[in-house]
Amino acid sequence: GRITAETLMSILRDKDSGICVDAEGFRTAGSMVSVLPRDPALPCVHFFTATPDPSRSVFKPFVFVAGIKPVPQVRSPTFLQDPAKQIPRFQSSVDRRHELYRRHQAALELMEQDR
């Protein structure tokens, strides 16, 4: 059969095999899966958990190519009335989480419900 990125992600999340470790003072720090296409015209895609315990993390895609423009989903939001820029500072608070982070948290909550 074919091994897919999803297959590798499930292997890296597998605690029973000992690949994903969360015991005895040692924890898997993060995991990465890369898709390297044979066609040189296609970009490589790297999926990172960037968080401890891959069994509870979402693999997020990253592409590294020249001239890439950041997408809005990974930028922290800006605010016209930013509490950090008003005097006195921080008299109110705003949600600075970017869209990718919020979706990661939502996916984590769903994964926790499935346990």
Side-chain angles (χ1 to χ4, degrees):
R2 291 178 31 102
I3 295 179
T4 65
E6 291 81 7
T7 303
L8 292 170
M9 291 173 196
S10 67
I11 290 169
L12 291 169
R13 287 183 170 128
D14 186 25
K15 289 191 176 193
D16 292 337
S17 70
I19 289 176
C20 182
V21 181
D22 185 19
E24 300 173 18
F26 182 77
R27 173 178 286 165
T28 301
S31 292
M32 177 182 129
V33 172
S34 293
V35 177
L36 311 173
R38 293 180 189 213
D39 181 350
L42 297 174
C44 298
V45 180
H46 308 279
F47 295 87
F48 298 94
T49 59
T51 54
D53 195 353
S55 71
R56 301 181 61 238
S57 297
V58 176
F59 283 83
K60 295 163 279 298
F62 289 85
V63 177
F64 303 98
V65 294
I68 195 162
K69 294 179 182 163
V71 295
Q73 293 86 353
V74 297
R75 289 187 181 161
S76 293
T78 57
F79 303 93
L80 293 174
Q81 302 296 321
D82 192 333
K85 296 177 181 174
Q86 294 178 342
I87 306 293
R89 296 180 65 195
F90 299 110
Q91 298 301 302
S92 62
S93 63
V94 292
D95 186 356
R96 296 186 187 279
R97 299 175 302 161
H98 58 69
E99 183 66 24
L100 182 60
Y101 181 82
R102 287 197 306 265
R103 290 187 182 214
H104 178 271
Q105 292 302 105
L108 182 58
E109 288 176 20
L110 290 173
M111 290 169 72
E112 289 294 322
Q113 291 174 4
D114 287 346
R115 285 186 168 207

